[in-house]
């Protein structure tokens, strides 16, 4: 939907067509997107700037490392993927590839690379760039940090000519029309010697081929982007896109009111209600693509079998985990914390993705039942002592810690309810709200944690992070695991869905995976939060939501919102009209001597725990 007037979208489910069902796409084009061809007749003095307030730190500007939502959203703007998602219904549509065809056995996929895409330094984009990107991920473990699950099954990737890419598979792979991997320019990246430490943040502008070019970046301050005038789909209308970091949500809202920013996401119910009364501000409240969950430390481990961390041993007992979940009122979380701007959590994948949405049967559901929770604890040997505290047979009390994101008011509010509910059972809870929860999470130094991921139309990535293969190789390494889960039955189901091309059969396997994850008691999905966001209508005349009709603007499965945004008459302007980001004359080389670590301690590259809307 292209929004042109202040409104509040209504809640509805949008059925998505499975990406793996599409075997050819030569005729597909995005529907209902605003044309952004740079032919606007409006003549404005100055330089229009669209400023977006963000609350999450960039983990890396390297597409090979970045996993946080803010970072992957930036990469969607700066680099093309082979395919994109249609703004209307998320079916696969052309991106860098104009069409794709599988062989009869579906073990070889041939992509036609478009001829009208150029890198922002003026060089043509070729199939060799794509082949080099995938081969680097296949050959270099560090380069596979962010998106290695997509290439783990690749046998061979070649570029027979400049516009033909051929991917040979070891076995069928259902994600071949949903490879969410940014394609990078080989002539820039082939000089990188250490992909684990190169954060791509020292020389600007950064060469890309998406609708925008990254021109500047300061840690926890801003990311600056300019339109790529060579972008094949058309030049964005705003002269600059500025992502500005705000640690405090109230400060971001105040900046929106004053016109210092054009857009704010992640609003609290109180903020949304107040902004709806403001002139020149539109609030968008739509079904989100995220889940919000309570994660249990299952005993941090590495692939080599080594256990590490200091998780409470009582949480290894399924009865204790089930008791905790029975003492959580998810309806109260939705009503009292999210105040209706969410749906009660059930399965791992939000209802927005209806083909994959799963909910437990009445007999399977771990519903709110404090009496059952007490019975389970008694039966497991955790009885109350004289002070009313639950104590195990080893004498250790059930006192847990929960990692909380300091920038997320929902974490703090929900944690207070946990303290109340669990306290009645004799269980203690210490809330540890940190600016950066990555460090203790990576070390396994936690008992419980607030967790959340944004889900793509194809759910493979958020399924892969709970496989045994995602564990770190050793305690000193960093894997792609979300929560150190390793379950044989879950892995078997993951392997089966990954090779299933039939959409209905694959969806059923994905639902079985969610059922298994639910039964382990290691993840309790509390809610599916709405995308609650606001923008100034005197800055933005129109902008495209995804999906059309009732969708989000921030964190889309594509670049439609910021690419389509049209400046309003009151859009902020600056005198800076330099356009270094899209000039073919600009040179940005990555000399081998410059390929060094981006500063130890600046990032936790390869992980993503700065906010609860973690993954793209």
């Amino acid at each position: 939907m292209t929004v042109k007037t202040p409104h509040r979208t209504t809640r509805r489910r949008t059925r998505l067509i499975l990406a793996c069902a599409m075997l050819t796409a030569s005729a597909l084009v995005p529907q209902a997107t605003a044309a952004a061809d740079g032919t606007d007749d409006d003549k404005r003095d100055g330089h229009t700037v669209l400023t977006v307030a963000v609350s999450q730190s960039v983990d890396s500007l390297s597409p090979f490392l970045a996993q946080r939502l803010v970072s992957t959203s930036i990469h969607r703007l700066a680099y093309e993927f082979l395919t994109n998602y249609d703004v209307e219904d998320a079916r696969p549509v052309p991106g860098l590839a104009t069409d794709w065809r599988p062989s009869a056995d579906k073990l070889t996929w041939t992509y036609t690379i478009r001829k009208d895409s150029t890198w922002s330094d003026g060089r043509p984009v070729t199939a060799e760039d794509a082949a080099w990107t995938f081969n680097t991920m296949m050959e270099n473990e560090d380069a596979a940090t962010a998106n290695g699950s997509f290439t783990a099954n690749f046998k061979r990737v070649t570029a027979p000519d400049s516009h033909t890419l051929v991917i040979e598979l070891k076995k069928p792979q259902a994600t071949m029309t949903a490879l969410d991997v940014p394609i990078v320019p080989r002539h820039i990246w082939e000089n990188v010697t250490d992909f684990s430490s190169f954060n791509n943040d020292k020389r600007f502008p950064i060469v890309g081929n998406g609708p925008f070019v990254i021109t500047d970046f300061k840690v926890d301050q801003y990311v600056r982007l300019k339109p790529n005038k060579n972008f094949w789909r058309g030049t964005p209308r705003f002269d600059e896109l500025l992502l500005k970091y705000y640690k405090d949500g109230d400060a971001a809202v105040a900046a929106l009111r004053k016109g210092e920013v054009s857009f704010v996401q992640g609003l609290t119910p109180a903020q949304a209600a107040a902004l709806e009364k403001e002139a020149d501000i539109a609030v968008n409240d739509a079904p989100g693509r995220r889940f919000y969950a309570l994660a249990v430390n299952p005993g941090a481990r590495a692939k080599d079998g080594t256990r590490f961390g200091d998780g409470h041993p009582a949480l290894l007992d399924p009865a204790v985990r089930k008791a905790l979940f029975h003492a959580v009122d998810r309806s109260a979380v939705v009503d009292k914390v999210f105040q209706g701007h969410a749906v009660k959590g059930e399965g791992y994948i939000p209802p927005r993705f209806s083909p994959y949405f799963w909910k437990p049967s009445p007999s399977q559901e771990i519903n709110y039942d404090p009496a059952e929770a007490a019975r389970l604890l008694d039966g497991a040997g955790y009885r109350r002592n004289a002070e009313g505290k639950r104590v195990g047979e080893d004498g250790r009390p059930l006192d847990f810690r929960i990692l909380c994101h300091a920038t997320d008011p929902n974490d703090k509010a929900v944690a207070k309810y946990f303290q109340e509910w669990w306290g009645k059972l004799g269980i203690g809870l210490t809330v540890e709200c940190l600016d950066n929860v990555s460090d203790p999470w990576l070390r396994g130094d936690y008992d419980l944690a607030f967790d959340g991921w944004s889900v793509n139309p194809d759910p493979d990535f958020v399924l892969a992070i709970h496989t045994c293969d995602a564990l770190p190789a050793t305690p000193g390494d960093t894997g792609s695991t979300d929560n150190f889960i390793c379950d044989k039955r879950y892995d078997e189901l993951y392997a089966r869905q990954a090779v299933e091309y039939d959409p209905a059969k694959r969806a059923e396997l994905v639902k079985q995976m969610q059922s298994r994850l639910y039964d382990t008691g290691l993840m309790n999905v509390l809610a599916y939060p709405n995308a609650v966001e606001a923008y100034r209508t005197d800055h933005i005349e129109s902008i495209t939501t995804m999906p059309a009709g009732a969708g989000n603007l921030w964190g889309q499965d594509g670049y439609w919102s910021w690419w389509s945004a049209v400046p309003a008459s009151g859009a902020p302007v600056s005198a800076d009209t330099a356009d270094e980001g899209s000039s073919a004359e600009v040179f940005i080389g990555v000399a081998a001597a410059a390929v060094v670590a981006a500063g130890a301690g600046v990032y936790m590259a390869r992980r993503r725990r700065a906010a609860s809307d973690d993954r793209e």
Side-chain angles (χ1 to χ4, degrees), residues 20-21 23 105-107 109 169 172-174 176 499-503:
C20 62
L23 299 183
D105 61 5
K106 297 177 183 174
L107 291 176
W109 288 72
L169 304 173
Q173 182 166 323
M176 295 308 289
V499 302
E500 182 55 70
Y501 284 110
D502 182 277

Side-chain angles (χ1 to χ4, degrees), residues 62 64 128-145 147-148 151 154 157 181-182 184-186 189-196:
S62 165
F64 297 104
E128 182 57 37
D129 291 306
W132 184 88
T133 299
F134 290 127
N135 280 314
T136 299
M137 294 169 61
M138 293 163 61
E139 297 165 2
N140 188 306
E141 182 178 359
D142 294 324
T145 297
N147 297 303
T151 60
F154 286 10
V157 182
V181 177
V184 303
R186 175 177 181 171
W189 284 84
E190 63 185 352
N191 293 314
V192 174
T193 57
D194 185 356
F195 285 91
S196 69

Side-chain angles (χ1 to χ4, degrees), residues 597-612:
V602 174
Y603 292 115
M604 279 301 299
R606 303 194 283 176
R607 284 298 282 181
R608 64 278 183 193
R609 297 291 175 199
S612 59

Side-chain angles (χ1 to χ4, degrees), residues 19-70:
C20 62
M22 296 301 301
L23 299 183
T24 61
S26 59
L28 294 180
V29 294
Q31 303 296 313
T33 56
D37 57 6
T39 59
D40 193 343
D41 290 333
D42 290 345
K43 302 297 182 183
R44 296 182 176 86
D45 294 329
H47 179 83
T48 56
V49 181
L50 173 55
T51 302
V52 175
V54 298
S55 60
Q56 191 180 45
S57 298
V58 172
D59 53 345
S60 180
L61 288 182
S62 165
F64 297 104
L65 299 178
Q67 293 178 309
R68 292 179 184 163
L69 178 61
V70 65

Side-chain angles (χ1 to χ4, degrees), residues 533-557:
E533 48 201 11
Y535 65 94
R536 294 198 63 94
T537 55
D538 56 344
H539 290 186
I540 302 172
E541 179 180 307
S542 64
I543 191 167
T544 302
T545 62
M546 182 182 187
N552 56 294
L553 294 168
W554 171 251
Q556 291 183 353
D557 302 300

